[in-house]
Structure formats: C-alpha cells, structure tokens
Amino acid sequence: MHEMGLMAGVLEVVHESAVENHIKDVTVVRLRVGKLNGALPDALEFAFEALRADWQEIKQAELVIESVPGRMVCLECGLDQEVSEFGVECVSCGSWVTEVRSGTEFEIVGYEGFPSEERGQAS
Ligand SMILES: [Zn+2]
C-alpha cells in the first residue's frame, strides 16, 4: 500500500524532530493532503495507526488530516475551477489547456506534544 510508505516517512520525520526538540510525548500529527494527490485519508489513517506503535514518542498521537481541494485554471478562458481528478476539460469553454494549481499537496503541517521530563538532565 502506497500510504504505508508515505506514512512511514512522515513518522520518521516527526520522530527525528521530536528527539531533536526533546518532545517525549507527541499528541497530534497534522498533515495537509491534496485531493488530487492519490493518497487516501482512510488509508493514511490506517497506516498511521499501524505504524505509530513503532515509535516511543508517537504511539499515543492522533492524526489530523487537512484536505485540500483540487483546483485548476483554464489557460484559454481563465476560469479558476474545482476539480476532483486530473485530465478534465474546462467546465466553461471545454478547453483541455489547463493548469492544476492545488490539490497535489502532501505536507507535514506540524505536530504538538509535551517536552521530555529529562530535559536538562542529559549528559
Ligand atoms: Zn476555459
């Protein structure tokens, strides 16, 4: 499953950042996922739940996905329109000459958590 690989990468990034910032207990991981991205929120949620137990700092965390609608601009008539898939014609003039402007995102917005109690006692 494609989402497993994506989520494994996300958790690795969050883990590394949490360690670096002495965050012991991550409570929320926030992602921004475009509807044209191909990564399905349900599958991401499933992958998150399956993988979070592998990471001490993340295993109690919740996943919050912010969904971004797909938008494209017609380069013939200039209409900015919402789309749910790639390769569709302009709803206004029927042109195929279009440019996707959003909806392909896959970004880590951030995460929230509590600092380690051992902070300051290391080394
Ligand atoms: Zn058009």
Side-chain angles (χ1 to χ4, degrees):
M1 188 164 66
H2 179 57
E3 285 82 357
M4 275 291 186
L6 283 171
M7 194 49 77
V10 167
L11 292 187
E12 222 170 295
V13 169
V14 171
H15 162 75
E16 275 172 23
S17 173
V19 167
E20 216 170 276
N21 293 290
H22 308 285
I23 302 294
K24 190 185 172 192
D25 206 354
V26 175
T27 52
V28 179
V29 175
R30 295 182 193 279
L31 293 183
R32 183 177 292 132
V33 181
K35 286 188 176 165
L36 303 178
N37 180 280
L40 300 172
D42 283 356
L44 288 170
E45 185 75 43
F46 178 83
F48 182 80
E49 280 172 21
L51 294 168
R52 66 181 168 185
D54 292 347
W55 306 98
Q56 183 61 35
E57 309 81 9
I58 305 170
K59 62 183 180 189
Q60 310 275 13
E62 239 184 280
L63 179 67
V64 175
I65 296 174
E66 181 191 319
S67 187
V68 183
R71 294 208 76 86
M72 74 174 191
V73 170
C74 175
L75 299 181
E76 298 280 346
C77 74
L79 183 72
D80 186 331
Q81 55 208 286
E82 188 167 334
V83 286
S84 55
E85 57 186 340
F86 284 107
V88 291
E89 73 267 44
C90 173
V91 290
S92 169
C93 72
S95 169
W96 292 92
V97 190
T98 58
E99 195 175 276
V100 170
R101 292 284 166 84
S102 74
T104 59
E105 298 82 354
F106 188 87
E107 300 160 6
I108 303 172
V109 179
Y111 66 91
E112 292 162 24
F114 296 109
S116 164
E117 289 148 15
E118 288 112 47
R119 185 166 51 168
Q121 290 171 18
S123 82

